[in-house]
PDB file of all heavy atoms in Angstrom:
ATOM      1  N   ALA H 120     114.144  -9.940 112.174  1.00  0.00           N
ATOM      2  CA  ALA H 120     112.752 -10.395 112.101  1.00  0.00           C
ATOM      3  C   ALA H 120     111.839  -9.527 112.955  1.00  0.00           C
ATOM      4  O   ALA H 120     110.748  -9.121 112.518  1.00  0.00           O
ATOM      5  CB  ALA H 120     112.664 -11.853 112.534  1.00  0.00           C
ATOM      6  N   LEU H 121     112.281  -9.207 114.164  1.00  0.00           N
ATOM      7  CA  LEU H 121     111.460  -8.376 115.047  1.00  0.00           C
ATOM      8  C   LEU H 121     111.341  -6.947 114.511  1.00  0.00           C
ATOM      9  O   LEU H 121     110.285  -6.320 114.624  1.00  0.00           O
ATOM     10  CB  LEU H 121     112.045  -8.356 116.460  1.00  0.00           C
ATOM     11  CG  LEU H 121     111.844  -9.633 117.288  1.00  0.00           C
ATOM     12  CD1 LEU H 121     112.626  -9.553 118.589  1.00  0.00           C
ATOM     13  CD2 LEU H 121     110.366  -9.850 117.576  1.00  0.00           C
ATOM     14  N   ARG H 122     112.421  -6.434 113.934  1.00  0.00           N
ATOM     15  CA  ARG H 122     112.392  -5.083 113.421  1.00  0.00           C
ATOM     16  C   ARG H 122     111.442  -4.965 112.223  1.00  0.00           C
ATOM     17  O   ARG H 122     110.707  -3.979 112.092  1.00  0.00           O
ATOM     18  CB  ARG H 122     113.806  -4.644 113.010  1.00  0.00           C
ATOM     19  CG  ARG H 122     113.876  -3.181 112.542  1.00  0.00           C
ATOM     20  CD  ARG H 122     115.316  -2.709 112.376  1.00  0.00           C
ATOM     21  NE  ARG H 122     116.039  -3.477 111.385  1.00  0.00           N
ATOM     22  CZ  ARG H 122     117.040  -4.325 111.663  1.00  0.00           C
ATOM     23  NH1 ARG H 122     117.429  -4.484 112.920  1.00  0.00           N
ATOM     24  NH2 ARG H 122     117.655  -4.980 110.710  1.00  0.00           N
ATOM     25  N   GLU H 123     111.445  -5.967 111.349  1.00  0.00           N
ATOM     26  CA  GLU H 123     110.644  -5.885 110.133  1.00  0.00           C
ATOM     27  C   GLU H 123     109.224  -6.420 110.328  1.00  0.00           C
ATOM     28  O   GLU H 123     108.290  -5.949 109.691  1.00  0.00           O
ATOM     29  CB  GLU H 123     111.328  -6.656 108.996  1.00  0.00           C
ATOM     30  CG  GLU H 123     112.654  -6.035 108.575  1.00  0.00           C
ATOM     31  CD  GLU H 123     113.198  -6.659 107.300  1.00  0.00           C
ATOM     32  OE1 GLU H 123     112.434  -7.390 106.630  1.00  0.00           O
ATOM     33  OE2 GLU H 123     114.373  -6.419 106.974  1.00  0.00           O
ATOM     34  N   ILE H 124     109.063  -7.412 111.196  1.00  0.00           N
ATOM     35  CA  ILE H 124     107.760  -8.049 111.361  1.00  0.00           C
ATOM     36  C   ILE H 124     107.051  -7.555 112.617  1.00  0.00           C
ATOM     37  O   ILE H 124     105.815  -7.515 112.662  1.00  0.00           O
ATOM     38  CB  ILE H 124     107.910  -9.590 111.418  1.00  0.00           C
ATOM     39  CG1 ILE H 124     108.607 -10.093 110.146  1.00  0.00           C
ATOM     40  CG2 ILE H 124     106.561 -10.261 111.578  1.00  0.00           C
ATOM     41  CD1 ILE H 124     107.855  -9.797 108.868  1.00  0.00           C
ATOM     42  N   GLY H 125     107.824  -7.155 113.627  1.00  0.00           N
ATOM     43  CA  GLY H 125     107.221  -6.787 114.906  1.00  0.00           C
ATOM     44  C   GLY H 125     106.214  -5.656 114.787  1.00  0.00           C
ATOM     45  O   GLY H 125     105.110  -5.734 115.333  1.00  0.00           O
ATOM     46  N   PHE H 126     106.566  -4.586 114.062  1.00  0.00           N
ATOM     47  CA  PHE H 126     105.665  -3.456 113.929  1.00  0.00           C
ATOM     48  C   PHE H 126     104.424  -3.846 113.124  1.00  0.00           C
ATOM     49  O   PHE H 126     103.294  -3.467 113.467  1.00  0.00           O
ATOM     50  CB  PHE H 126     106.376  -2.281 113.263  1.00  0.00           C
ATOM     51  CG  PHE H 126     105.507  -1.067 113.081  1.00  0.00           C
ATOM     52  CD1 PHE H 126     105.042  -0.360 114.176  1.00  0.00           C
ATOM     53  CD2 PHE H 126     105.150  -0.649 111.808  1.00  0.00           C
ATOM     54  CE1 PHE H 126     104.226   0.749 114.007  1.00  0.00           C
ATOM     55  CE2 PHE H 126     104.342   0.464 111.634  1.00  0.00           C
ATOM     56  CZ  PHE H 126     103.882   1.168 112.734  1.00  0.00           C
ATOM     57  N   ALA H 127     104.635  -4.621 112.049  1.00  0.00           N
ATOM     58  CA  ALA H 127     103.495  -5.067 111.241  1.00  0.00           C
ATOM     59  C   ALA H 127     102.574  -5.964 112.064  1.00  0.00           C
ATOM     60  O   ALA H 127     101.343  -5.870 111.963  1.00  0.00           O
ATOM     61  CB  ALA H 127     103.983  -5.817 110.005  1.00  0.00           C
ATOM     62  N   THR H 128     103.167  -6.818 112.895  1.00  0.00           N
ATOM     63  CA  THR H 128     102.364  -7.684 113.765  1.00  0.00           C
ATOM     64  C   THR H 128     101.564  -6.863 114.765  1.00  0.00           C
ATOM     65  O   THR H 128     100.404  -7.173 115.066  1.00  0.00           O
ATOM     66  CB  THR H 128     103.272  -8.683 114.503  1.00  0.00           C
ATOM     67  OG1 THR H 128     103.998  -9.457 113.540  1.00  0.00           O
ATOM     68  CG2 THR H 128     102.462  -9.615 115.377  1.00  0.00           C
ATOM     69  N   PHE H 129     102.183  -5.793 115.283  1.00  0.00           N
ATOM     70  CA  PHE H 129     101.452  -4.901 116.188  1.00  0.00           C
ATOM     71  C   PHE H 129     100.261  -4.268 115.469  1.00  0.00           C
ATOM     72  O   PHE H 129      99.149  -4.198 116.013  1.00  0.00           O
ATOM     73  CB  PHE H 129     102.378  -3.814 116.723  1.00  0.00           C
ATOM     74  CG  PHE H 129     101.666  -2.710 117.440  1.00  0.00           C
ATOM     75  CD1 PHE H 129     101.180  -2.912 118.727  1.00  0.00           C
ATOM     76  CD2 PHE H 129     101.468  -1.480 116.829  1.00  0.00           C
ATOM     77  CE1 PHE H 129     100.498  -1.901 119.385  1.00  0.00           C
ATOM     78  CE2 PHE H 129     100.790  -0.466 117.484  1.00  0.00           C
ATOM     79  CZ  PHE H 129     100.304  -0.678 118.768  1.00  0.00           C
ATOM     80  N   LEU H 130     100.483  -3.809 114.244  1.00  0.00           N
ATOM     81  CA  LEU H 130      99.397  -3.190 113.491  1.00  0.00           C
ATOM     82  C   LEU H 130      98.282  -4.193 113.178  1.00  0.00           C
ATOM     83  O   LEU H 130      97.094  -3.865 113.305  1.00  0.00           O
ATOM     84  CB  LEU H 130      99.927  -2.607 112.175  1.00  0.00           C
ATOM     85  CG  LEU H 130     100.726  -1.304 112.254  1.00  0.00           C
ATOM     86  CD1 LEU H 130     101.123  -0.859 110.863  1.00  0.00           C
ATOM     87  CD2 LEU H 130      99.910  -0.220 112.940  1.00  0.00           C
ATOM     88  N   THR H 131      98.675  -5.388 112.772  1.00  0.00           N
ATOM     89  CA  THR H 131      97.643  -6.387 112.463  1.00  0.00           C
ATOM     90  C   THR H 131      96.852  -6.760 113.713  1.00  0.00           C
ATOM     91  O   THR H 131      95.629  -6.935 113.651  1.00  0.00           O
ATOM     92  CB  THR H 131      98.271  -7.647 111.852  1.00  0.00           C
ATOM     93  OG1 THR H 131      99.238  -8.205 112.769  1.00  0.00           O
ATOM     94  CG2 THR H 131      98.951  -7.343 110.539  1.00  0.00           C
ATOM     95  N   SER H 132      97.530  -6.883 114.837  1.00  0.00           N
ATOM     96  CA  SER H 132      96.826  -7.192 116.089  1.00  0.00           C
ATOM     97  C   SER H 132      95.905  -6.040 116.478  1.00  0.00           C
ATOM     98  O   SER H 132      94.768  -6.253 116.923  1.00  0.00           O
ATOM     99  CB  SER H 132      97.831  -7.458 117.209  1.00  0.00           C
ATOM    100  OG  SER H 132      98.642  -8.568 116.909  1.00  0.00           O
ATOM    101  N   LEU H 133      96.383  -4.805 116.288  1.00  0.00           N
ATOM    102  CA  LEU H 133      95.578  -3.635 116.629  1.00  0.00           C
ATOM    103  C   LEU H 133      94.330  -3.573 115.753  1.00  0.00           C
ATOM    104  O   LEU H 133      93.208  -3.369 116.257  1.00  0.00           O
ATOM    105  CB  LEU H 133      96.410  -2.366 116.453  1.00  0.00           C
ATOM    106  CG  LEU H 133      95.686  -1.037 116.708  1.00  0.00           C
ATOM    107  CD1 LEU H 133      95.230  -0.946 118.152  1.00  0.00           C
ATOM    108  CD2 LEU H 133      96.590   0.145 116.344  1.00  0.00           C
ATOM    109  N   THR H 134      94.497  -3.734 114.443  1.00  0.00           N
ATOM    110  CA  THR H 134      93.345  -3.628 113.541  1.00  0.00           C
ATOM    111  C   THR H 134      92.375  -4.794 113.739  1.00  0.00           C
ATOM    112  O   THR H 134      91.155  -4.602 113.669  1.00  0.00           O
ATOM    113  CB  THR H 134      93.810  -3.589 112.080  1.00  0.00           C
ATOM    114  OG1 THR H 134      94.691  -4.690 111.817  1.00  0.00           O
ATOM    115  CG2 THR H 134      94.550  -2.294 111.790  1.00  0.00           C
ATOM    116  N   THR H 135      92.907  -5.992 113.987  1.00  0.00           N
ATOM    117  CA  THR H 135      92.028  -7.128 114.251  1.00  0.00           C
ATOM    118  C   THR H 135      91.247  -6.910 115.537  1.00  0.00           C
ATOM    119  O   THR H 135      90.035  -7.183 115.604  1.00  0.00           O
ATOM    120  CB  THR H 135      92.838  -8.431 114.338  1.00  0.00           C
ATOM    121  OG1 THR H 135      93.572  -8.620 113.136  1.00  0.00           O
ATOM    122  CG2 THR H 135      91.920  -9.620 114.558  1.00  0.00           C
ATOM    123  N   ALA H 136      91.930  -6.408 116.569  1.00  0.00           N
ATOM    124  CA  ALA H 136      91.257  -6.123 117.841  1.00  0.00           C
ATOM    125  C   ALA H 136      90.185  -5.055 117.655  1.00  0.00           C
ATOM    126  O   ALA H 136      89.097  -5.142 118.238  1.00  0.00           O
ATOM    127  CB  ALA H 136      92.283  -5.679 118.886  1.00  0.00           C
ATOM    128  N   ILE H 137      90.474  -4.042 116.827  1.00  0.00           N
ATOM    129  CA  ILE H 137      89.483  -2.994 116.565  1.00  0.00           C
ATOM    130  C   ILE H 137      88.266  -3.579 115.850  1.00  0.00           C
ATOM    131  O   ILE H 137      87.114  -3.238 116.142  1.00  0.00           O
ATOM    132  CB  ILE H 137      90.107  -1.857 115.735  1.00  0.00           C
ATOM    133  CG1 ILE H 137      91.106  -1.069 116.590  1.00  0.00           C
ATOM    134  CG2 ILE H 137      89.033  -0.919 115.184  1.00  0.00           C
ATOM    135  CD1 ILE H 137      91.902  -0.042 115.808  1.00  0.00           C
ATOM    136  N   GLY H 138      88.536  -4.470 114.904  1.00  0.00           N
ATOM    137  CA  GLY H 138      87.428  -5.111 114.192  1.00  0.00           C
ATOM    138  C   GLY H 138      86.491  -5.834 115.144  1.00  0.00           C
ATOM    139  O   GLY H 138      85.264  -5.717 115.035  1.00  0.00           O
ATOM    140  N   PHE H 139      87.053  -6.569 116.096  1.00  0.00           N
ATOM    141  CA  PHE H 139      86.220  -7.267 117.071  1.00  0.00           C
ATOM    142  C   PHE H 139      85.600  -6.292 118.073  1.00  0.00           C
ATOM    143  O   PHE H 139      84.440  -6.440 118.457  1.00  0.00           O
ATOM    144  CB  PHE H 139      87.043  -8.321 117.811  1.00  0.00           C
ATOM    145  CG  PHE H 139      87.388  -9.514 116.972  1.00  0.00           C
ATOM    146  CD1 PHE H 139      88.704  -9.919 116.807  1.00  0.00           C
ATOM    147  CD2 PHE H 139      86.403 -10.243 116.333  1.00  0.00           C
ATOM    148  CE1 PHE H 139      89.034 -11.014 116.036  1.00  0.00           C
ATOM    149  CE2 PHE H 139      86.709 -11.336 115.550  1.00  0.00           C
ATOM    150  CZ  PHE H 139      88.022 -11.735 115.394  1.00  0.00           C
ATOM    151  N   ALA H 140      86.375  -5.315 118.509  1.00  0.00           N
ATOM    152  CA  ALA H 140      85.870  -4.355 119.498  1.00  0.00           C
ATOM    153  C   ALA H 140      84.710  -3.537 118.948  1.00  0.00           C
ATOM    154  O   ALA H 140      83.896  -3.018 119.724  1.00  0.00           O
ATOM    155  CB  ALA H 140      86.997  -3.426 119.951  1.00  0.00           C
ATOM    156  N   SER H 141      84.609  -3.415 117.622  1.00  0.00           N
ATOM    157  CA  SER H 141      83.493  -2.662 117.037  1.00  0.00           C
ATOM    158  C   SER H 141      82.154  -3.305 117.381  1.00  0.00           C
ATOM    159  O   SER H 141      81.110  -2.647 117.341  1.00  0.00           O
ATOM    160  CB  SER H 141      83.661  -2.582 115.515  1.00  0.00           C
ATOM    161  OG  SER H 141      83.523  -3.860 114.909  1.00  0.00           O
ATOM    162  N   LEU H 142      82.173  -4.595 117.717  1.00  0.00           N
ATOM    163  CA  LEU H 142      80.932  -5.273 118.097  1.00  0.00           C
ATOM    164  C   LEU H 142      80.397  -4.773 119.429  1.00  0.00           C
ATOM    165  O   LEU H 142      79.232  -5.009 119.763  1.00  0.00           O
ATOM    166  CB  LEU H 142      81.166  -6.792 118.187  1.00  0.00           C
ATOM    167  CG  LEU H 142      81.613  -7.492 116.904  1.00  0.00           C
ATOM    168  CD1 LEU H 142      81.887  -8.958 117.176  1.00  0.00           C
ATOM    169  CD2 LEU H 142      80.555  -7.349 115.821  1.00  0.00           C
ATOM    170  N   MET H 143      81.226  -4.072 120.183  1.00  0.00           N
ATOM    171  CA  MET H 143      80.813  -3.616 121.501  1.00  0.00           C
ATOM    172  C   MET H 143      79.851  -2.439 121.433  1.00  0.00           C
ATOM    173  O   MET H 143      79.297  -2.030 122.465  1.00  0.00           O
ATOM    174  CB  MET H 143      82.035  -3.255 122.337  1.00  0.00           C
ATOM    175  CG  MET H 143      82.923  -4.455 122.660  1.00  0.00           C
ATOM    176  SD  MET H 143      84.464  -4.015 123.493  1.00  0.00           S
ATOM    177  CE  MET H 143      83.802  -3.318 125.011  1.00  0.00           C
ATOM    178  N   ILE H 144      79.622  -1.877 120.249  1.00  0.00           N
ATOM    179  CA  ILE H 144      78.624  -0.818 120.136  1.00  0.00           C
ATOM    180  C   ILE H 144      77.213  -1.393 120.159  1.00  0.00           C
ATOM    181  O   ILE H 144      76.243  -0.650 120.312  1.00  0.00           O
ATOM    182  CB  ILE H 144      78.812   0.017 118.850  1.00  0.00           C
ATOM    183  CG1 ILE H 144      78.499  -0.827 117.602  1.00  0.00           C
ATOM    184  CG2 ILE H 144      80.211   0.599 118.781  1.00  0.00           C
ATOM    185  CD1 ILE H 144      78.473  -0.033 116.329  1.00  0.00           C
ATOM    186  N   SER H 145      77.114  -2.722 120.015  1.00  0.00           N
ATOM    187  CA  SER H 145      75.801  -3.367 120.045  1.00  0.00           C
ATOM    188  C   SER H 145      75.224  -3.328 121.454  1.00  0.00           C
ATOM    189  O   SER H 145      75.954  -3.363 122.445  1.00  0.00           O
ATOM    190  CB  SER H 145      75.918  -4.817 119.563  1.00  0.00           C
ATOM    191  OG  SER H 145      74.703  -5.515 119.772  1.00  0.00           O
ATOM    192  N   ARG H 146      73.891  -3.292 121.543  1.00  0.00           N
ATOM    193  CA  ARG H 146      73.229  -3.376 122.832  1.00  0.00           C
ATOM    194  C   ARG H 146      72.894  -4.814 123.202  1.00  0.00           C
ATOM    195  O   ARG H 146      72.280  -5.057 124.239  1.00  0.00           O
ATOM    196  CB  ARG H 146      71.953  -2.535 122.811  1.00  0.00           C
ATOM    197  CG  ARG H 146      72.210  -1.034 122.805  1.00  0.00           C
ATOM    198  CD  ARG H 146      70.913  -0.249 122.793  1.00  0.00           C
ATOM    199  NE  ARG H 146      70.207  -0.417 121.540  1.00  0.00           N
ATOM    200  CZ  ARG H 146      69.009   0.113 121.279  1.00  0.00           C
ATOM    201  NH1 ARG H 146      68.411   0.835 122.195  1.00  0.00           N
ATOM    202  NH2 ARG H 146      68.423  -0.084 120.113  1.00  0.00           N
ATOM    203  N   VAL H 147      73.274  -5.772 122.353  1.00  0.00           N
ATOM    204  CA  VAL H 147      73.014  -7.179 122.634  1.00  0.00           C
ATOM    205  C   VAL H 147      74.168  -7.719 123.482  1.00  0.00           C
ATOM    206  O   VAL H 147      75.305  -7.794 123.008  1.00  0.00           O
ATOM    207  CB  VAL H 147      72.885  -7.983 121.321  1.00  0.00           C
ATOM    208  CG1 VAL H 147      72.599  -9.441 121.613  1.00  0.00           C
ATOM    209  CG2 VAL H 147      71.790  -7.379 120.448  1.00  0.00           C
ATOM    210  N   PRO H 148      73.923  -8.107 124.732  1.00  0.00           N
ATOM    211  CA  PRO H 148      75.009  -8.498 125.639  1.00  0.00           C
ATOM    212  C   PRO H 148      75.918  -9.608 125.107  1.00  0.00           C
ATOM    213  O   PRO H 148      77.145  -9.470 125.204  1.00  0.00           O
ATOM    214  CB  PRO H 148      74.269  -8.933 126.916  1.00  0.00           C
ATOM    215  CG  PRO H 148      72.999  -8.142 126.885  1.00  0.00           C
ATOM    216  CD  PRO H 148      72.622  -8.052 125.433  1.00  0.00           C
ATOM    217  N   PRO H 149      75.404 -10.719 124.543  1.00  0.00           N
ATOM    218  CA  PRO H 149      76.332 -11.751 124.051  1.00  0.00           C
ATOM    219  C   PRO H 149      77.269 -11.241 122.968  1.00  0.00           C
ATOM    220  O   PRO H 149      78.440 -11.638 122.909  1.00  0.00           O
ATOM    221  CB  PRO H 149      75.392 -12.844 123.514  1.00  0.00           C
ATOM    222  CG  PRO H 149      74.103 -12.626 124.220  1.00  0.00           C
ATOM    223  CD  PRO H 149      73.993 -11.155 124.409  1.00  0.00           C
TER     224      PRO H 149
END
Side-chain angles (χ1 to χ4, degrees):
L121 286 172
R122 184 170 61 249
E123 295 190 13
I124 303 299
F126 180 66
T128 302
F129 169 76
L130 285 182
T131 58
S132 298
L133 177 63
T134 52
T135 303
I137 289 173
F139 288 125
S141 67
L142 299 176
M143 294 174 63
I144 68 172
S145 171
R146 288 180 292 177
V147 181

